[in-house]
Amino acid sequence: MVGAGQLARMTHQAAIALGQSLRILAESLDDGAALVAADVVVGDYRSLADLRGFAAGCDVVTFDHEHVPGAHLEALASDGVVVRPGADALAYAQDKAVMRRRLTSLGVPCPEWAPVASAEDLAAFGVRVGWPLVLKAARGGYDGKGVWVVSSVDDAADQLRSDTPLIAEAHVPIARELAAVVARSPYGQGAAWPVVETVQQDGICVEVLAPAPGLDPERADEAQALALRIAEALGVVGVLAVELFETHSGELLVNELAMRPHNSGHWTIEGARTSQFEQHLRAVLDYPLGTTTPTAPVTVMANLLGGPDDVKPASIDERVHHCMARWPDVKIHLYGKGFRPGRKVGHVTALGTDLAEVRGRAQAAAAYLMNGEPA
């Protein structure tokens, strides 16, 4: 797995039960996955030489992020390395303009959009869809970074002066955000977990509610079918997360794609018979996919986000101790990352039958771990 963040760390845990050894390409031995895996190579994912050295002897190369240059992936494939998902598929997760163009050609519902290369382009788009609108960096950006809501061309002056390729999208009034997480194998087998609601704060996901409360069953089926159709059309192998807007009228619009395990699927570790991490490995190794049946009627995952009153290393173990004692059924996952404001440093998961009660436990445990006081 190229990348050594929390996704690689949790994929490593899933690999053990499958009898697999996960080699990890890390930028530093202090990366979250590098702290726990036995087979770690330190290198730069932007270096083809480093990638070639890392891939030597691997059965399959996969990713915990989408940032490896496409030309490097094509070169690896030409060398005979099995790369899953491949460069052709990953291009749609790496470039929002490429993704929007392809999804539009497939008839997939998306916000109205246009590439933007100048103030004139942005002004014309604003006339067409109305202000405010959403400006996005076509490449890079995550957790609210690289996304700006602008009310005029002047608001976007800094972005337009940069060298960053941009797209503009209509600002869609939404009821909530959903995610449909699916997996697809090279054989063509597909699997889908229940559609979830993702709760956002300042562009960062803070909670995942599984299944999405109050979602009409037909709409849930529509979202799962849409995600599986996208996976097949784009040639995705592995886990695909389709982030969706649900409008006030009930329409579903595709917001983003991620071709790897995703924050909206962390709940599956305890909340589904097969976690997204095990499923990703099954898919890229072309094993039969596992069942996605939930293990409880309700699962809530709450992210642990670093804040201005960051937990000091000396205190986190004490807080974990007391959290386990107070909420013995809540599962804690820490990523081995340094704490800084807004950074995802872990998550907690609670299961049960009543959404309000389960959500309350997850929120209280997360608040205690980060702040020392339950929510």
Side-chain angles (χ1 to χ4, degrees), residues 32-69:
L35 295 173
V36 297
D39 191 354
V40 178
V41 176
V42 175
D44 187 343
Y45 66 84
R46 292 156 295 199
S47 163
L48 179 56
D50 284 359
L51 287 168
R52 280 179 162 145
F54 167 75
C58 289
D59 295 305
V60 179
V61 171
T62 190
F63 314 92
D64 90 336
H65 62 72
E66 296 97 348
H67 305 312
V68 180

Side-chain angles (χ1 to χ4, degrees), residues 206-256:
V206 294
E207 283 182 293
V208 174
L209 315 178
L215 183 63
D216 181 87
E218 290 187 5
R219 192 68 75 206
D221 289 346
E222 175 190 336
Q224 290 176 318
L226 177 63
L228 288 168
R229 180 164 76 90
I230 291 171
E232 181 178 10
L234 303 189
V236 176
V237 172
V239 165
L240 169 70
V242 180
E243 299 179 27
L244 299 159
F245 293 146
E246 183 184 21
T247 69
H248 294 285
S249 64
E251 183 184 11
L252 298 179
L253 302 174
V254 173
N255 178 31
E256 302 282 358

Side-chain angles (χ1 to χ4, degrees), residues 84-118:
R84 292 175 176 160
D88 289 347
L90 274 171
Y92 300 110
Q94 293 174 327
D95 191 306
K96 294 177 176 62
V98 173
M99 174 194 72
R100 284 282 181 247
R101 197 170 290 115
R102 179 65 171 138
L103 294 183
T104 301
S105 73
L106 293 171
V108 171
C110 299
E112 190 168 352
W113 75 283
V116 172
S118 66

Side-chain angles (χ1 to χ4, degrees), residues 70-348:
H72 291 359
L73 300 179
E74 291 171 357
L76 290 180
S78 295
D79 292 345
V81 177
V82 179
V83 178
R84 292 175 176 160
D88 289 347
L90 274 171
Y92 300 110
Q94 293 174 327
D95 191 306
K96 294 177 176 62
V98 173
M99 174 194 72
R100 284 282 181 247
R101 197 170 290 115
R102 179 65 171 138
L103 294 183
T104 301
S105 73
L106 293 171
V108 171
C110 299
E112 190 168 352
W113 75 283
V116 172
S118 66
E120 291 74 20
D121 290 344
L122 185 61
F125 186 72
V127 169
R128 190 162 86 244
V129 305
W131 302 89
L133 51 79
V134 179
L135 196 63
K136 293 182 177 181
R139 300 181 69 87
Y142 65 96
D143 285 348
K145 300 178 179 67
V147 179
W148 306 272
V149 177
V150 296
S151 297
S152 67
V153 172
D154 289 343
D155 281 353
D158 289 344
Q159 290 77 27
L160 290 169
R161 278 196 296 267
S162 73
D163 295 328
T164 303
L166 301 167
I167 67 168
E169 296 179 355
H171 189 272
V172 180
I174 63 170
R176 58 178 170 174
E177 295 191 41
L178 304 173
V181 182
V182 301
R184 180 176 178 272
S185 73
Y187 182 73
Q189 185 184 10
W193 288 271
V195 178
V196 301
E197 178 177 346
T198 61
V199 181
Q200 312 290 322
Q201 191 174 87
D202 298 325
I204 301 174
C205 178
V206 294
E207 283 182 293
V208 174
L209 315 178
L215 183 63
D216 181 87
E218 290 187 5
R219 192 68 75 206
D221 289 346
E222 175 190 336
Q224 290 176 318
L226 177 63
L228 288 168
R229 180 164 76 90
I230 291 171
E232 181 178 10
L234 303 189
V236 176
V237 172
V239 165
L240 169 70
V242 180
E243 299 179 27
L244 299 159
F245 293 146
E246 183 184 21
T247 69
H248 294 285
S249 64
E251 183 184 11
L252 298 179
L253 302 174
V254 173
N255 178 31
E256 302 282 358
L257 303 178
M259 297 177 189
R260 50 170 171 73
H262 190 255
N263 190 235
S264 64
H266 290 356
W267 68 275
T268 62
I269 297 174
E270 288 84 23
R273 294 297 179 191
T274 307
S275 77
Q276 66 165 343
F277 301 100
E278 178 183 335
Q279 197 81 296
H280 186 74
L281 290 170
R282 286 184 180 226
V284 301
L285 293 167
D286 207 9
Y287 288 179
L289 300 183
T291 182
T292 55
T293 306
T295 58
V298 174
T299 303
V300 174
M301 186 278 292
N303 280 320
L304 305 179
L305 303 177
D309 299 322
D310 285 337
V311 178
K312 300 298 185 288
S315 65
I316 186 62
D317 184 66
E318 181 179 355
R319 291 192 187 183
V320 167
H321 179 95
H322 289 297
C323 185
M324 287 178 168
R326 183 162 181 178
W327 298 281
D329 60 316
V330 171
K331 293 297 185 181
I332 302 171
H333 297 262
L334 297 175
Y335 302 155
K337 297 166 72 171
F339 289 13
R340 62 172 181 257
R343 191 182 200 192
K344 293 172 185 169
V345 296
H347 73 268
V348 299

